[in-house]
Amino acid sequence: MNNQDNQESGMNCPRCSFKIKFQIQDLLAKNSINCPGCLLKMDMDIPNEIKSHLQEIQMAQDMVAKARNVNL
Amino acid sequence: MNGLYHTGATELHDIFLAPLKAVIDAEMSLTESIKQFIWETGFTSEGEIKTIQFKYLLDGKKETLSVPALSIVTLPLLGIKNATFDMHVKMMTILEDDKERVSLPPLKKTKLPEMKPKVGLKGFLTPHHGALTESTGLKTNMRVKLEMGETSMPGGIIKILALLNNNLIADKNNENE
């Protein structure tokens, strides 16, 4: 089973329960998101500390993607 | 070292165990790094969950939802998917006779326990190329293929993430606009 499937990352929309998936770039760059299911607009308040972690995760994701293509 | 001389051969189980142990050590180190990463990313130094706040209007009311940061994003977990070791081994049966051991005579005349010769399996890793085999004189008589597979995500981490996903959309405050 894929690890990413296990995690089921994202958030259920408080209005329509649609599972909202997030891109780290969106979390870093945007101040608000819209639920794809019901278009509910939500303003995001992300502390700088978490933003720096998100940047680390983004970097790690890029590195993992590269590592998957390496055959030793 | 037993006997009058040492053959230079290694115990077979050591030959097989060494690469497996290296992979297991690597996996443990990886898991430790993931644990540390989750701890630093998802929790404060006081052990509280780091959250992201979402503010929205629902039925004219301003509401705030706090969502654990770790449950929002997919963690880039890298594990060892498969490790294959293909080894060529020259296996030898060695008779280890402790009676042949060179040692100083005992100070007292004590009766030494009767030592029975031991039979052990030892071996050498041998070259894969024929030319090298001839030059080294090590001819493979055993080919070993060990395979390791990836296990799923560690149980503890699955539980942590499940808790974060299911139970901790907690802080819901209603405020009249």
Side-chain angles (χ1 to χ4, degrees):
Chain A
M1 187 184 292
N2 192 321
N3 287 341
Q4 293 184 354
D5 294 339
N6 282 336
Q7 281 183 242
E8 292 179 358
S9 61
M11 181 187 97
N12 290 327
C13 172
R15 185 158 75 185
C16 70
S17 297
F18 187 92
K19 185 83 174 181
I20 304 170
K21 298 279 184 182
F22 292 87
Q23 296 293 322
I24 291 180
Q25 294 94 328
D26 292 341
L27 293 169
L28 290 171
K30 294 182 179 175
N31 293 321
S32 65
I33 55 149
N34 290 311
C35 169
C38 66
L39 301 180
L40 175 68
K41 185 187 174 194
M42 288 178 274
D43 294 324
M44 296 187 290
D45 181 12
I46 305 177
N48 286 335
E49 186 194 9
I50 291 181
K51 280 192 175 177
S52 68
H53 287 313
L54 291 173
Q55 283 174 334
E56 288 173 6
I57 292 172
Q58 178 68 63
M59 285 172 60
Q61 280 182 349
D62 293 343
M63 290 166 75
V64 167
K66 282 180 189 169
R68 284 191 202 283
N69 296 324
V70 173
N71 287 319
L72 296 175
Chain B
M1 185 167 68
N2 290 338
L4 286 173
Y5 61 94
H6 185 46
T7 61
T10 309
E11 297 279 353
L12 269 189
H13 74 266
D14 287 337
I15 290 177
F16 301 149
L17 185 64
L20 297 175
K21 188 173 181 307
V23 173
I24 291 166
D25 287 347
E27 185 76 17
M28 284 174 68
S29 177
L30 196 62
T31 305
E32 183 65 29
S33 301
I34 291 169
K35 186 193 82 177
Q36 187 69 21
F37 183 78
I38 286 176
W39 184 251
E40 287 176 5
T41 308
F43 300 89
T44 65
S45 55
E46 290 80 30
E48 292 176 2
I49 295 166
K50 291 178 185 171
T51 58
I52 295 175
Q53 310 267 323
F54 291 87
K55 294 175 181 173
Y56 54 94
L57 283 174
L58 195 60
D59 299 330
K61 291 178 182 174
K62 193 175 177 183
E63 300 199 11
T64 303
L65 195 60
S66 296
V67 181
L70 272 183
S71 70
I72 294 282
V73 293
T74 300
L75 291 179
L77 299 179
L78 185 66
I80 294 166
K81 189 174 183 181
N82 206 324
T84 305
F85 309 98
D86 196 356
M87 296 185 286
H88 290 203
V89 177
K90 180 179 176 62
M91 188 177 73
M92 306 159 61
T93 305
I94 292 182
L95 194 67
E96 295 173 341
D97 189 350
D98 282 350
K99 281 195 288 189
E100 290 182 9
R101 182 182 294 172
V102 177
S103 60
L104 294 172
L107 294 175
K108 291 180 187 176
K109 277 194 172 181
T110 53
K111 189 178 178 185
L112 292 171
E114 186 68 23
M115 301 294 283
K116 289 184 180 174
K118 274 195 307 185
V119 176
L121 290 177
K122 292 194 175 183
F124 296 95
L125 286 175
T126 57
H128 285 219
H129 296 289
L132 280 173
T133 304
E134 285 185 14
S135 65
T136 57
L138 291 172
K139 195 173 177 187
T140 301
N141 59 8
M142 187 180 188
R143 196 166 167 200
V144 185
K145 194 169 183 181
L146 306 172
E147 286 191 28
M148 297 183 79
E150 182 188 34
T151 58
S152 56
M153 196 189 299
I157 293 177
I158 291 175
K159 282 181 183 171
I160 289 174
L161 294 175
L163 278 172
L164 290 172
N165 281 342
N166 298 331
N167 299 329
L168 295 171
I169 301 178
D171 182 22
K172 194 169 181 178
N173 299 318
N174 292 337
E175 296 171 24
N176 288 328
E177 198 176 26

